[in-house]
Amino acid sequence: MEKTFHMLLYRAFHAERNHLRPYLGKIGLEIGQPKLLAYLDTNGPCKQSQLAEYFDVDSAAISRMLDSLEKGDFITRQPSEQSRRCNLVNLTAKGQKALQAWRSYCQETEDIMLCGFSPSEQRQFADFLFRAYQNLRIDKEGSPCTT
């Protein structure tokens, strides 16, 4: 197996996604939707544009995901009191229940993925991934990495 960081990250991501994907259908969700539910659970009602900005995804993609979530009764959209031109996206009780099930299954997947890693190694691994993410975000903004 090729051991470049690119391939190792890709293979780990792909293996995790393949492990999680079958569970999505069981709880009525599609790819990309659990992260929206998690954001709403943590941050409360918000505008669609906030979701797009936070996840660095175009508004049209977010809109399609929200349409599907709304049809499944996982979220609602209500007019904002501050602006009639935008809606606030809210998590429903069904959305909260699906998110709880998703988080539980994700924890099981993490336990499998990190089997044999000490707590210290797990924290270090998380730190490395976060730093790699930060470096890519900084580079996208045109700022050079300072080592």
Side-chain angles (χ1 to χ4, degrees):
M1 174 170 72
E2 188 177 340
K3 295 212 176 203
T4 64
F5 282 109
H6 168 76
M7 285 306 293
L8 290 170
L9 280 170
Y10 171 77
R11 290 180 63 103
F13 165 76
H14 192 69
E16 182 196 33
R17 187 177 63 188
N18 285 341
H19 194 269
L20 291 171
R21 183 177 279 162
Y23 194 70
L24 281 172
K26 291 179 183 177
I27 58 175
L29 297 174
E30 298 171 8
I31 292 173
Q33 293 177 337
K35 67 184 177 192
L36 300 180
L37 299 182
Y39 183 90
L40 293 169
D41 185 55
T42 301
N43 299 289
C46 71
K47 295 184 258 179
Q48 177 179 318
S49 60
Q50 286 175 261
L51 292 167
E53 183 178 323
Y54 181 80
F55 290 109
D56 198 20
V57 176
D58 68 69
S59 290
I62 293 291
S63 182
R64 287 188 297 274
M65 283 192 269
L66 292 177
D67 287 345
S68 179
L69 285 168
E70 190 172 32
K71 286 178 188 169
D73 194 33
F74 295 103
I75 59 127
T76 61
R77 291 187 235 193
Q78 299 170 341
S80 169
E81 292 177 9
Q82 286 80 27
S83 172
R84 292 182 186 190
R85 294 185 304 163
C86 67
N87 292 321
L88 292 179
V89 181
N90 294 289
L91 190 60
T92 65
K94 183 178 177 181
Q96 289 175 329
K97 184 177 177 184
L99 180 60
Q100 288 171 349
W102 178 250
R103 284 179 169 157
S104 176
Y105 192 72
C106 285
Q107 185 59 57
E108 290 174 25
T109 301
E110 280 186 27
D111 292 345
I112 293 166
M113 180 173 54
L114 298 173
C115 181
F117 286 73
S118 70
S120 174
E121 289 172 324
Q122 289 180 29
R123 285 189 300 275
Q124 190 175 29
F125 185 37
D127 183 52
F128 290 157
L129 288 173
F130 181 74
R131 286 168 47 198
Y133 168 75
Q134 290 285 15
N135 287 342
L136 290 170
R137 294 288 301 161
I138 289 168
D139 184 67
K140 183 179 178 184
E141 295 166 4
S143 302
C145 177
T146 56
T147 308

